[in-house]
Amino acid sequence: MTRSEARDSIFRIVFREAFFPAEGMGEQTEEYLTMLGEEPEVFLPGMRKEIEEEDRAYIRAKVDAILERTGELDRLLEQASRDWKMNRVGKAELAILRVAAYEICFDEDIPDKVAINEALELAKKYCDEKAVPFINGVLNQLYTRETKEEDADSL
């Protein structure tokens, strides 16, 4: 499974959080991974290979980390969006923003520009055309703020 395919799955599970109680998200993650293993062509058309246990573990860990920091991620996103409240953002857009914000702020294995580019690809796939520039603007603001804070910390 490629990182893009894993990210797509992570987005899909984080998206489910809008419809299910937080305490049920572990079950939702497992249900999604089971269904992905049984019918990969339905869930991720064009997936290059079967999902491995290593991929499952990566997806579980990333989803758990994102969901644990939802409040913090939403605050960061609201600041980056110039006080646009996250409860006004579409559910798909919000899930994409949360995944990318986590990668930019907390995942040192993913380059920030890759996180932004992958978020835009997800937005093109799952959202309307107005979402792409909105997501790009918010994530670029977040990236700029994070970069400035890192620069200040290194002084």
Side-chain angles (χ1 to χ4, degrees), residues 12 17 19 39-40 58 71 83 94 100 104 106 117 140 146:
R12 288 168 178 237
E17 188 266 343
F19 305 99
E39 299 182 81
Y58 176 80
D83 298 320
L94 182 56
I104 291 168
F106 303 107
N117 186 59
N140 278 315
E146 286 295 307

Side-chain angles (χ1 to χ4, degrees), residues 37-57:
E38 292 172 358
E39 299 182 81
E41 67 283 351
V42 172
F43 283 86
L44 288 175
M47 193 164 91
R48 296 195 181 116
K49 64 178 187 169
E50 190 173 305
I51 186 168
E52 310 266 337
E53 186 51 43
E54 182 180 322
D55 300 322
R56 292 172 192 270

Side-chain angles (χ1 to χ4, degrees), residues 92-105:
E93 291 86 343
L94 182 56
I96 291 168
L97 284 166
R98 286 174 175 165
V99 171
Y102 175 81
E103 291 179 341
I104 291 168
C105 297

Side-chain angles (χ1 to χ4, degrees), residues 4-53:
S4 292
E5 291 166 341
R7 186 177 288 103
D8 195 310
S9 290
I10 292 163
F11 152 73
R12 288 168 178 237
I13 297 167
V14 171
F15 176 73
R16 288 178 174 211
E17 188 266 343
F19 305 99
F20 294 95
E23 57 276 354
M25 286 308 297
E27 184 179 310
Q28 287 298 313
T29 300
E30 292 310 313
E31 180 181 315
Y32 176 88
L33 292 172
T34 298
M35 293 165 62
L36 178 62
E38 292 172 358
E39 299 182 81
E41 67 283 351
V42 172
F43 283 86
L44 288 175
M47 193 164 91
R48 296 195 181 116
K49 64 178 187 169
E50 190 173 305
I51 186 168
E52 310 266 337
E53 186 51 43

Side-chain angles (χ1 to χ4, degrees), residues 81 84-86 89-90 93-94 97 120 129-140:
S81 65
W84 184 275
K85 299 293 180 203
M86 290 299 106
V89 176
E93 291 86 343
L94 182 56
L97 284 166
L120 297 177
E129 67 277 353
K130 292 179 183 174
V132 175
F134 173 74
I135 289 171
N136 188 41
V138 172
L139 293 178
N140 278 315

